[in-house]
């Protein structure tokens, strides 16, 4: 408690902006130079290790819901493909069985269609009871539902519309299934090789579509306290600079290293491959005042500069927003509209009566 009561009068004295009286000649003798704080529209957050990441929405997976054997491959890893490009031909017993079932249901549907048409005609002429027509129409409706389910199952197996239509028109089983790309993009993962048997849980191809990537960084939590989603930033990476915004801020902090993940949106015109890990400089948009590091000193826990006024200097508390190797970036304040001392600050501090730290 004694230390507290000793320190407080000194801090109050500073905040009340007591003037250090000094003539121009005295300032020259002590080599005290002054400069105006420079206005800046940006200030640095810092340099961090970042990683270029592909959003999950841009990754398209092609897999099979049955065990299959790869008969032939038509593409290679990292190859660019267009929608409809033939990727591979596969076969499997389940593929044959689902076609057989679809054909059997189609034959049954055609039979019931003709039967229902005849019964409806007889019902109109009151030759047969109407309840027989109602039963026939209900059975035909069930057949239509089974056909729709067969087509959906065939699509899930990888068949396209042309193959499905051909199956129901010709009633012929195709022993080989053609796997085609459903999107434009590049193959980033491939787990298919000729002659290989695949399992239903295995992704045969992963295709990365064109689109905006993410840039992710794990930043010390204390640096992120005033950041907000949507905030505009500048990023310098791999000799390129671009403007973007904070896409997402992690809602939790990593307890092991006290960092917080920040995700930025990567512009389409910046061509950097996904997976790259490198150093990036992140600069925040916002008004600030740029001063040399030599201009700041600290009394107790308060950072101050010495503003030049008529007849001397006045100790002025400041709020530091950021820093780099040579400058501090201060929060603008009406008290900083004067020139400030940028050297010999220790002399001014001693004249004020505070110990040099």
């Amino acid at each position: 408690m004694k230390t507290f009561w000793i320190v407080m009068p000194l801090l109050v004295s500073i905040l009340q902006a007591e003037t250090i009286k000094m003539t121009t000649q005295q300032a020259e003798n002590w080599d005290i130079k002054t400069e105006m704080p420079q206005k800046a529209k940006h200030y640095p957050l810092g340099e961090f290790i970042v990683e270029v990441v592909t959003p999950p929405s841009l990754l398209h997976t092609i897999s099979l819901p049955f065990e299959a054997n790869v008969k032939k491959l038509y593409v290679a890893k990292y190859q660019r493909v267009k929608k409809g490009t033939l990727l591979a031909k596969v076969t499997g017993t389940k593929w044959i069985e689902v076609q057989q079932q679809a054909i059997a249901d189609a034959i049954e549907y055609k039979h019931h269609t003709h039967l229902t048409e005849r019964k409806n005609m007889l019902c109109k002429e009151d030759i047969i009871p109407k309840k027989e027509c109602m039963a026939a129409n209900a059975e035909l409706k069930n057949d239509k539902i089974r056909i729709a389910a067969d087509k959906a199952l065939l699509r899930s197996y990888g068949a396209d519309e042309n193959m499905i239509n051909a199956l129901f028109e010709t009633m012929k089983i195709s022993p080989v299934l053609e796997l085609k790309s459903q999107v434009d993009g590049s193959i980033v993962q491939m787990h298919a090789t000729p002659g290989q048997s695949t399992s239903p849980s295995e992704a045969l191809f992963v295709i990365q579509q064109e689109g905006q990537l993410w840039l992710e960084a794990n930043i010390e939590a204390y640096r992120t306290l005033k950041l907000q989603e949507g905030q505009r930033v500048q990023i310098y990476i791999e000799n390129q600079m671009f403007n973007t915004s904070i896409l997402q801020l992690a809602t939790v902090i990593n307890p092991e290293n006290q960092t917080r993940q920040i995700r930025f949106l990567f512009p389409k015109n910046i061509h950097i491959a996904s997976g790259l890990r490198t150093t990036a400089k992140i600069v925040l948009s916002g008004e600030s005042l740029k001063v040399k590091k030599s201009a700041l000193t600290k009394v107790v826990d308060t950072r101050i500069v010495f503003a030049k006024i008529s007849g001397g200097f006045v100790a002025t508390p400041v709020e530091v927003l950021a820093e780099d190797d040579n400058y501090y970036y201060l929060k603008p304040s009406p008290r900083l509209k004067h020139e400030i001392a940028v050297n010999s600050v220790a002399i001014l501090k001693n004249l004020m009566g505070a110990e040099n730290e």
Side-chain angles (χ1 to χ4, degrees):
M1 290 298 295
K2 291 182 179 180
T3 303
F4 175 80
W5 290 112
I6 293 172
V7 169
M8 279 304 296
L10 176 60
L11 185 56
V12 171
S13 176
I14 294 170
L15 295 178
Q16 288 177 342
E18 292 186 356
T19 301
I20 302 171
K21 295 182 179 180
M22 182 177 296
T23 65
T24 302
Q25 186 60 48
Q26 287 174 321
E28 290 179 357
N29 292 339
W30 278 315
D31 193 29
I32 299 174
K33 296 179 180 178
T34 60
E35 292 180 1
M36 282 294 297
Q38 303 175 42
K39 291 183 179 180
K41 294 184 178 181
H42 302 89
Y43 54 92
L45 182 64
E47 291 191 4
F48 309 95
I49 299 295
V50 297
E51 182 175 0
V52 182
V53 178
T54 301
S57 60
L58 295 181
L59 295 176
H60 182 78
T61 301
I62 297 176
S63 60
L64 295 171
F66 61 93
E67 291 185 2
N69 181 267
V70 180
K71 304 296 290 184
K72 193 171 183 179
L73 275 178
Y74 292 88
V75 292
K77 193 175 182 180
Y78 304 125
Q79 181 177 331
R80 290 186 177 275
V81 295
K82 294 289 186 181
K83 184 177 181 180
T85 299
L86 180 61
L87 305 176
K89 288 184 178 180
V90 302
T91 189
T93 55
K94 285 291 185 181
W95 166 241
I96 303 298
E97 290 174 3
V98 73
Q99 291 181 91
Q100 289 175 333
Q101 184 61 51
I103 291 174
D105 289 340
I107 293 172
E108 190 75 8
Y109 173 70
K110 284 187 176 181
H111 171 68
H112 286 158
T113 298
H114 297 312
L115 184 61
T116 302
E117 287 175 352
R118 287 197 299 269
K119 285 188 175 183
N120 285 334
M121 291 177 62
L122 294 173
C123 284
K124 286 181 180 179
E125 297 175 4
D126 294 327
I127 298 175
I128 62 173
K130 290 186 177 180
K131 64 180 181 179
E132 289 192 25
C133 292
M134 293 174 63
N137 283 303
E139 190 172 10
L140 184 62
K141 184 176 180 180
N142 290 333
D143 289 342
K144 288 182 179 179
I145 294 172
R146 281 194 291 269
I147 292 296
D150 289 335
K151 289 183 177 181
L153 184 59
L154 287 166
R155 292 188 192 97
S156 72
Y157 273 41
D160 59 22
E161 293 302 319
N162 291 333
M163 183 176 291
I164 293 171
N165 292 334
L167 176 65
F168 282 93
E169 288 174 5
T170 65
M171 302 294 181
K172 291 182 180 180
I173 291 174
S174 174
V176 175
L177 172 63
E178 293 183 346
L179 293 182
K180 297 180 180 180
S181 175
Q182 298 175 7
V183 295
D184 297 342
S186 299
I187 298 173
V188 293
Q189 294 182 36
M190 192 171 79
H191 304 290
T193 57
Q196 172 192 4
S197 293
T198 67
S199 66
S201 61
E202 188 174 25
L204 298 182
F205 303 94
V206 177
I207 299 174
Q208 179 180 322
Q209 299 174 256
E210 295 293 332
Q212 286 185 281
L213 302 178
W214 290 343
L215 192 68
E216 295 181 345
N218 292 315
I219 297 176
E220 295 94 331
Y222 74 91
R223 293 178 182 264
T224 68
L225 296 178
K226 296 183 180 181
L227 300 183
Q228 297 179 345
E229 291 184 359
Q231 186 173 352
R232 300 296 298 173
V233 300
Q234 288 182 343
I235 296 181
Y236 296 79
I237 180 173
E238 295 293 301
N239 298 319
Q240 300 184 73
M241 186 280 286
F242 59 88
N243 294 303
T244 186
S245 60
I246 297 176
L247 182 65
Q248 291 172 341
L249 283 165
T251 55
V252 296
I253 293 172
N254 187 329
E256 295 182 0
N257 55 18
Q258 290 298 294
T259 61
R260 188 180 185 188
Q261 188 181 75
I262 300 183
R263 183 174 291 148
F264 305 93
L265 198 58
F266 217 85
K268 289 183 179 180
N269 61 330
I270 303 295
H271 301 291
I272 296 180
S274 178
L276 175 71
R277 287 178 62 87
T278 187
T279 301
K281 180 181 178 182
I282 300 174
V283 178
L284 303 177
S285 297
E287 299 293 333
S288 65
L289 293 175
K290 180 178 174 183
V291 300
K292 290 180 179 178
K293 280 195 166 183
S294 59
L296 262 73
T297 187
K298 183 186 285 188
V299 175
V300 192
D301 291 325
T302 303
R303 288 178 169 178
I304 64 171
V305 296
F306 290 97
K308 184 179 181 181
I309 60 173
S310 178
F313 293 86
V314 62
T316 305
V318 295
E319 180 180 343
V320 177
L321 298 175
E323 64 180 283
D324 56 24
D325 292 340
N326 301 310
Y327 296 94
Y328 284 115
Y329 295 81
L330 310 180
K331 183 177 181 179
S333 167
R335 294 173 297 183
L336 297 175
K337 293 184 177 181
H338 304 276
E339 291 188 356
I340 61 172
V342 295
N343 69 331
S344 302
V345 171
I347 295 174
L348 294 170
K349 189 174 179 181
N350 287 332
L351 291 173
M352 187 179 64
E355 293 183 2
N356 190 29
E357 299 179 15

